[in-house]
Amino acid sequence: MTVSTTFLGLGAMGSALARTVSDAGHRIVCWNRTGHRAQSLGEQGAVIADSVEQAIVGTRTVVVCLFDATSVRQVLEPVATGLSGRTVINLTTTTPNQSRDLARWAGERDIDLLDGAIMAVPETIGGPESAIFYSGSAEGFAQHRQLLDLWGESSYLGPDAGMAALYDTAMLAGMYAMFAGFLHGAAMVGSEGVPAGEFVRRQAPFLAAMTEQLADYAATIDQQDYLGPGQQSLRFTETALSTVMQASTGQGVTDEVLKPAHDLIRRQLAAGFGEHGTARMFEELRSVR
């Protein structure tokens, strides 16, 4: 059994990625800045390297899952010469432009870079709930598809190295906004002694039902038909959101989570779009460009 893959970074996600490959019968090499994180993988048969230089010897594929873009460059730059001609799969969470910068850096050094965005939590890696987006090297994606598919559903988004990160951060924006909205609502009912566990029992199915409207919003945006039938107007949405904000402060809960959306809608009203559908918020959001 030959060394097939090197893993740099063994946090919760890096360990899950490495363990999945090891469990599939591949011999792996692992390195982590703090060595104790590698102990359990070593006990399962992984080769534990003392340095990054040692970790990349004898392997053609290097998987990087570190803290941020800065740490990726700090780890890879000293061994750039040794990575020439090899494939680096970067699964570190980065911005689109950081991924593009890394791809340019790699290209200048004859390093084949495949950038990935993991749409899963460590516990689901290798299972049906796990999905990973990739962009950058088409050749790298094709050549390593068997490896990539061990972690979850693999999707290639094109040669622009920043596309996987763009999808990732865009989807996380919706997730974090949802979490913030839930916490806001929990604080509101919590002001009257309602446990968060009781609130989530009612809120979760409501939010799930509301996601069914997303396809209609998407169609409206793509068609730019903000005056089509059946749309809730921005004027109505502003009134409804104002009521929610008043209810919040009346319960002693700050309106900081809701205020940015309210301010955005009011700008649309001031511009004369009050009778347009709520989906027209999309136009205001991208106007900062």
Side-chain angles (χ1 to χ4, degrees):
M1 188 165 54
T2 60
V3 174
S4 59
T5 311
T6 289
F7 289 85
L8 304 179
L10 296 174
M13 184 60 77
S15 293
L17 296 168
R19 186 170 291 106
T20 300
V21 175
S22 179
D23 288 346
H26 299 275
R27 189 168 181 234
I28 62 174
V29 178
C30 298
W31 171 87
N32 195 67
R33 195 180 303 276
T34 52
H36 71 276
R37 287 183 178 272
Q39 183 176 351
S40 63
L41 284 165
E43 293 171 352
Q44 294 175 18
V47 176
I48 307 303
D50 294 327
S51 67
V52 178
E53 292 83 355
Q54 185 184 87
I56 67 171
V57 172
T59 181
R60 304 296 299 175
T61 308
V62 178
V63 178
V64 183
C65 190
L66 297 167
F67 181 70
D68 58 12
T70 299
S71 59
V72 171
R73 295 291 285 268
Q74 289 174 341
V75 168
L76 295 185
E77 285 184 349
V79 296
T81 300
L83 292 173
S84 179
R86 308 186 192 194
T87 298
V88 171
I89 302 172
N90 178 41
L91 295 173
T92 306
T93 300
T94 59
T95 70
N97 284 337
Q98 287 170 339
S99 294
R100 292 171 183 132
D101 288 343
L102 182 63
R104 282 191 289 270
W105 174 87
E108 292 168 356
R109 291 155 179 81
D110 192 32
I111 301 169
D112 188 44
L113 181 77
L114 183 64
D115 201 81
I118 302 172
M119 311 309 299
V121 294
E123 294 76 17
T124 63
I125 292 296
E129 304 90 355
S130 177
I132 304 181
F133 301 147
Y134 297 95
S135 58
S137 171
E139 182 179 358
F141 180 78
Q143 287 184 350
H144 295 84
R145 188 64 187 269
Q146 185 175 6
L147 168 68
L148 306 180
D149 287 347
L150 291 175
W151 297 321
E153 181 182 356
S154 305
S155 300
Y156 181 66
L157 304 181
D160 177 355
M163 284 304 294
L166 179 58
Y167 267 82
D168 180 29
T169 51
M171 292 172 69
L172 289 175
M175 184 193 75
Y176 284 118
M178 179 189 69
F179 287 165
F182 166 73
L183 295 172
H184 181 100
M188 287 180 68
V189 297
S191 68
E192 298 295 339
V194 178
E198 170 62 20
F199 179 62
V200 74
R201 186 174 67 83
R202 302 176 187 275
Q203 175 75 323
F206 174 74
L207 290 177
M210 291 302 99
T211 62
E212 296 179 5
Q213 297 187 28
L214 294 180
D216 290 338
Y217 273 73
T220 297
I221 291 167
D222 288 342
Q223 297 164 12
Q224 295 188 313
D225 180 18
Y226 300 114
L227 288 171
Q231 298 186 49
Q232 180 173 296
S233 72
L234 281 163
R235 193 175 308 282
F236 181 90
T237 300
E238 191 278 332
T239 300
L241 194 51
S242 292
T243 300
V244 175
M245 293 169 70
Q246 291 174 33
S248 298
T249 55
Q251 294 298 136
V253 176
T254 178
D255 62 4
E256 289 178 273
V257 167
L258 304 175
K259 192 175 185 302
H262 187 248
D263 289 346
L264 186 153
I265 292 171
R266 293 188 67 179
R267 291 196 297 273
Q268 290 277 284
L269 296 182
F273 299 113
E275 300 311 313
H276 286 229
T278 300
R280 201 188 188 285
M281 292 170 66
F282 170 83
E283 303 293 341
E284 182 75 14
L285 285 165
R286 68 177 183 172
S287 68
V288 297
R289 297 185 66 181

